[in-house]
Amino acid sequence: MKAARPPRWYADPARLGLAALAVSAAAFFLLPLYVMAITSLKPMEEIRLGHLFSWPTQLTLDAWHAAWISACTGVACDGVRGGFWNSVSIVLPSTLIAITLGALNGYALAYWRARGAALLFGLLMIGAFIPVQVLMFPLVRMLGPLHLVGSLAGIVLVHVIFSMPIMTLIFRNHFAALPRELFLAARLDGAGFLRIFVLLMLPLSVPMLVVAAIMQATGVWNDYILGLVFAGREHLPMTVQLNNLVNTTTGTKLYNVDMAATLLTSLVPLAIYVISGRWFVRGIAAGAVRG
Amino acid sequence: MAAVSVRNLRVALGGQPVIEALDLEVADGEFLVLLGPSGCGKSTLLNAMAGLLEVSGGSIEIDGVDQTWASPRDRNIGMVFQSYALYPNMSVANNLSFGLRARGMPRAQVEERVQRAAALLQLEPLLARKPAQLSGGQRQRVAIGRALVRDARVFLLDEPLSNLDANLRASLRRELKLLHQRLGATMIYVTHDQVEALTLASRIAVLHKGRIQQLGTPAEVYARPANRFVAGFMGSPPMNFLEGTLTMNGGVPHFTAPGCEFELRDCDFGAAAPMAGEAVVLGVRPEQLRIAAPAAWSGVVTLVEPMGNHQVVWLECGGASWSVLAGSDARHQRGERLPLALATGSICLFRADDGTLRGVTA
Ligand SMILES: Nc1ncnc2c1ncn2[C@@H]1O[C@H](COP(=O)(O)OP(=O)(O)O)[C@@H](O)[C@H]1O
Ligand SMILES: [Mg+2]
């Protein structure tokens, strides 16, 4: 007797329920984004009418232009573009240095059993869970005399320091999961610490490097408090400028400019999420499951 | 001069002693097989020789130089790992040349060495491929090639054939033996497969629980196993055992067990003369038995395994499970009682208490 073909998936009520849940959850999270987007495209007169969800009758990019070029962020009135470039110049070195050092640390911890490696790893584990705020004041006191507070080098250093536990952790687990015989074979072949790292370990870690770069870059871009405390007036990141812009009220509150500036600020992490969604999911899994 | 000599070696892993007081001398050009069950410390011993593990005592000499504390790169050793450990990001050519480049060899010489190893192992058409694009046998060849290019005097091979299917294993085994004959290098080969050990070795060291149980030629180890462990580990199907006692009958030693008694003709008991009442274990290889009268024993058939050119008949014999070889055309039924006669070869006797060899008949 021939067995009956199982029903197709769309006929399954459980699947339909799941789809409905997914759609409503997406709507719940997309609704604020929708409101922000359309508000940023409306002129102020239309916003004053108070129809929060209605499609703009006349679309204009004036608010976006103002947010980028001329909106007041405190005393200065030249938009958030300065903050954008500040953030870029903070994110790039912080990410490059942090993943390089993290990979190197993780590699050393996983393969070169130095004396006290276990203790160091334990301390790093604890370090990964200490809230940033606890360490802020001591760090200011430490870096102040070194003239590192209020400089680009200072904020980059602080970001690198705070990311070191998690970066080391990620890479140590990654390297510990590689077959150890690869490392032993390279040792027997006569390769040393750096040759093995550069020619063997790094090429085998490209997915992990991408994931770490995504995590670090979004983390640093979204940072507010460290930028506020350590970056100094010359290098305020975009998030701090955004806050200043939204809180600077001279005359009427320009909701469309606020919304445009907020969207501009979140554009970079958003782009990272969208472009590298697949990698990002893998990164979350690596952080959550391994370890 | 021994190519490798290991003296009083101790290795502990995670606080547990894995190898204790091990001595081993491997002659120059020898093919020594370290044979033992999984987990007995074979890889540990090999890694210690290669310098990939820190020893906790003893010494390791290679080519007459004490290398106990030398770094792996200075030991002039080529090693093939159980999992091959090919560098996945590099082409076959780069896998072969990695070690040469790491030692700063001039480019032309590297090129020449790689070509030579590739020619020897028929790897030329594969040089541009990545390990992922190779079959199991090809990967194995690359792993051997990587050990070969450095012109090491001593090769360590850790179960190099265990990940291959049976046919490939047999053909690579022969290739390996030819390679050894051609190179004349010292090879220390780890395996848990007694067929590989018997076919390849000039000498076999049987390892169990971190100790060498016996060291000898394949014929010696097979015919005069030092103890019950070695006897049971060598041979497939393994040696048959029966517990009993020694008795003296008219001045001639006999083996006696419930339902069977027979004379131990020309038995070499060594220094200690046989005593009546000694508890011993009899050991007979399956191929030393014939299903025929006059019967020395008898057994009831429990299972018949056809092997193509012969059959293995399993019998229940005085409470023990025995196997005997039969021709492929023999017909035996389950439950049938069969007479067993001694055909050829020497029978082993082991002490019942510690399992060491007590005597061997001529
Ligand atoms: N890193 C380790 N820590 C503790 N024990 C280990 C470690 N590696 C191996 N062992 C133990 O050492 C013994 C020998 O291992 P190994 O040399 O790999 O055996 P083999 O190669 O003969 O199968 C095993 O019992 C194993 O459990
Ligand atoms: Mg092993």
Side-chain angles (χ1 to χ4, degrees):
Chain A
M1 200 183 81
K2 204 161 175 285
R5 186 197 172 106
R8 285 178 178 276
W9 66 270
Y10 51 75
D12 187 347
R15 292 239 173 210
L16 289 177
L18 209 62
L21 182 71
V23 168
S24 50
F28 180 79
F29 286 107
L30 281 176
L31 204 60
L33 190 63
Y34 166 76
V35 171
M36 284 177 73
I38 58 166
T39 306
S40 74
L41 296 170
K42 289 175 185 173
M44 274 313 291
E45 306 84 63
E46 201 178 329
I47 294 172
R48 282 199 203 88
L49 299 177
H51 305 304
L52 203 56
F53 296 100
S54 67
W55 192 251
T57 49
Q58 50 180 136
L59 283 172
T60 167
L61 282 174
D62 288 352
W64 285 73
H65 190 255
W68 185 246
I69 299 287
S70 63
C72 294
T73 57
V75 191
C77 285
D78 39 16
V80 290
R81 64 186 157 157
F84 176 86
W85 292 114
N86 286 345
S87 280
V88 169
S89 62
I90 293 170
V91 164
L92 285 182
S94 303
T95 303
L96 279 178
I97 296 172
I99 61 174
T100 307
L101 289 182
L104 211 52
N105 282 350
Y107 161 69
L109 277 176
Y111 289 117
W112 299 81
R113 305 265 158 78
R115 216 169 282 280
L119 179 71
L120 186 65
F121 188 64
L123 289 176
L124 276 171
M125 289 285 283
I126 297 170
F129 293 105
I130 294 181
V132 171
Q133 290 81 348
V134 175
L135 300 172
M136 200 109 70
F137 182 63
L139 208 56
V140 170
R141 292 299 301 262
M142 273 166 61
L143 297 183
L146 300 172
H147 306 290
L148 281 170
V149 177
S151 71
L152 186 60
I155 180 67
V156 168
L157 178 69
V158 168
H159 276 303
V160 168
I161 289 174
F162 279 117
S163 65
M164 218 26 47
I166 190 71
M167 287 291 137
T168 304
L169 208 65
I170 287 177
F171 279 103
R172 193 210 79 110
N173 290 347
H174 164 69
F175 287 124
L178 290 180
R180 193 174 162 75
E181 287 191 340
L182 279 179
F183 170 75
L184 295 181
R187 287 265 289 151
L188 208 67
D189 262 343
F193 183 89
L194 272 180
R195 181 179 286 265
I196 296 177
F197 181 65
V198 174
L199 292 186
L200 185 62
M201 294 303 166
L202 280 188
L204 293 180
S205 310
V206 172
M208 207 63 233
L209 290 168
V210 173
V211 165
I214 293 168
M215 286 174 61
Q216 178 71 354
T218 37
V220 172
W221 188 276
N222 288 336
D223 158 67
Y224 173 79
I225 185 95
L226 293 179
L228 183 66
V229 175
F230 291 98
R233 210 172 300 159
E234 299 296 306
H235 305 283
L236 285 182
M238 203 174 184
T239 46
V240 175
Q241 285 206 343
L242 172 68
N243 177 66
N244 294 349
L245 181 145
V246 173
N247 288 336
T248 308
T249 36
T250 45
T252 53
K253 191 150 183 56
L254 303 172
Y255 290 106
N256 50 1
V257 176
D258 290 356
M259 296 300 177
T262 308
L263 287 173
L264 277 171
T265 307
S266 55
L267 227 46
V268 167
L270 207 64
I272 293 178
Y273 288 133
V274 171
I275 294 168
S276 58
R278 189 166 56 94
W279 295 103
F280 193 77
V281 170
R282 215 192 277 194
I284 292 172
V289 182
R290 292 214 207 131
Chain B
M1 184 178 62
V4 177
S5 82
V6 172
R7 294 201 194 93
N8 199 22
L9 186 77
R10 291 161 199 281
V11 181
L13 289 174
Q16 290 288 101
V18 175
I19 291 174
E20 288 184 270
L22 186 136
D23 291 294
L24 182 63
E25 300 273 326
V26 186
D28 196 31
E30 189 174 13
F31 200 121
L32 182 101
V33 172
L34 284 168
L35 175 69
S38 181
C40 72
K42 306 183 296 292
S43 298
T44 306
L45 176 56
L46 224 52
N47 286 341
M49 287 182 189
L52 301 171
L53 267 181
E54 199 165 290
V55 305
S56 40
S59 72
I60 298 166
E61 252 177 42
I62 298 168
D63 258 344
V65 183
D66 186 350
Q67 302 275 30
T68 315
W69 302 106
S71 107
R73 69 174 284 168
D74 299 328
R75 296 192 182 202
N76 198 18
I77 271 179
M79 185 158 173
V80 175
F81 290 88
Q82 190 165 356
S83 63
Y84 312 152
L86 301 181
Y87 310 127
N89 57 313
M90 299 180 204
S91 67
V92 169
N94 282 341
N95 262 281
L96 294 180
S97 63
F98 183 79
L100 304 178
R101 286 180 282 135
R103 280 152 211 273
M105 187 181 279
R107 184 179 284 243
Q109 203 179 342
V110 170
E111 192 66 23
E112 188 235 307
R113 289 266 194 107
V114 168
Q115 286 303 333
R116 203 174 57 195
L120 193 63
L121 295 161
Q122 293 136 44
L123 291 171
E124 287 121 324
L126 309 175
L127 283 176
R129 292 207 204 160
K130 292 277 177 69
Q133 300 163 314
L134 300 176
S135 72
Q138 291 168 336
R139 281 178 210 182
Q140 183 52 64
R141 281 211 192 83
V142 177
I144 293 173
R146 194 171 60 179
L148 230 62
V149 281
R150 280 199 281 114
D151 275 350
R153 286 302 302 155
V154 177
F155 292 97
L156 308 177
L157 301 104
D158 193 352
E159 309 208 19
L161 306 182
S162 64
N163 294 333
L164 305 173
D165 62 65
N167 283 337
L168 200 54
R169 196 152 61 212
S171 80
L172 269 171
R173 199 173 67 209
R174 288 189 293 275
E175 273 185 43
L176 215 52
K177 185 145 192 173
L178 290 173
L179 192 68
H180 173 248
Q181 286 169 1
R182 177 135 36 131
L183 296 174
T186 310
M187 294 199 171
I188 302 180
Y189 183 105
V190 159
T191 183
H192 64 258
D193 181 345
Q194 39 109 9
V195 177
E196 280 175 25
L198 290 170
T199 51
L200 286 170
S202 35
R203 282 193 305 160
I204 297 176
V206 183
L207 207 62
H208 181 46
K209 293 184 174 162
R211 286 176 183 280
I212 292 182
Q213 307 289 319
Q214 187 171 8
L215 179 61
T217 64
E220 276 167 15
V221 173
Y222 192 76
R224 293 182 65 100
N227 56 42
R228 272 192 70 176
F229 173 81
V230 177
F233 197 73
M234 302 296 296
S236 169
M239 189 179 263
N240 300 305
F241 294 111
L242 190 62
E243 290 180 21
T245 49
L246 276 183
T247 51
M248 300 303 275
N249 196 339
V252 182
H254 279 61
F255 173 82
T256 313
C260 109
E261 164 165 4
F262 89 111
E263 189 188 328
L264 298 166
R265 228 168 298 143
D266 304 326
C267 188
D268 172 12
F269 283 100
M275 309 249 291
E278 264 186 78
V280 290
V281 178
L282 180 81
V284 186
R285 297 233 174 249
E287 68 271 18
Q288 296 175 327
L289 294 168
R290 252 185 319 128
I291 301 170
W297 299 267
S298 69
V300 178
V301 177
T302 54
L303 188 73
V304 178
E305 289 180 311
M307 308 292 276
N309 56 0
H310 68 277
Q311 297 181 52
V312 179
V313 181
W314 291 87
L315 304 148
E316 152 90 44
C317 254
S321 176
W322 276 38
S323 62
V324 50
L325 305 187
S328 54
D329 49 357
R331 295 276 172 274
H332 297 296
Q333 299 297 321
R334 201 172 159 234
E336 194 180 334
R337 180 166 282 277
L338 296 178
L340 294 177
L342 199 62
T344 53
S346 45
I347 293 174
C348 300
L349 281 179
F350 301 96
R351 291 183 181 85
D353 48 2
D354 61 1
T356 54
L357 191 68
R358 179 68 182 89
V360 183
T361 65

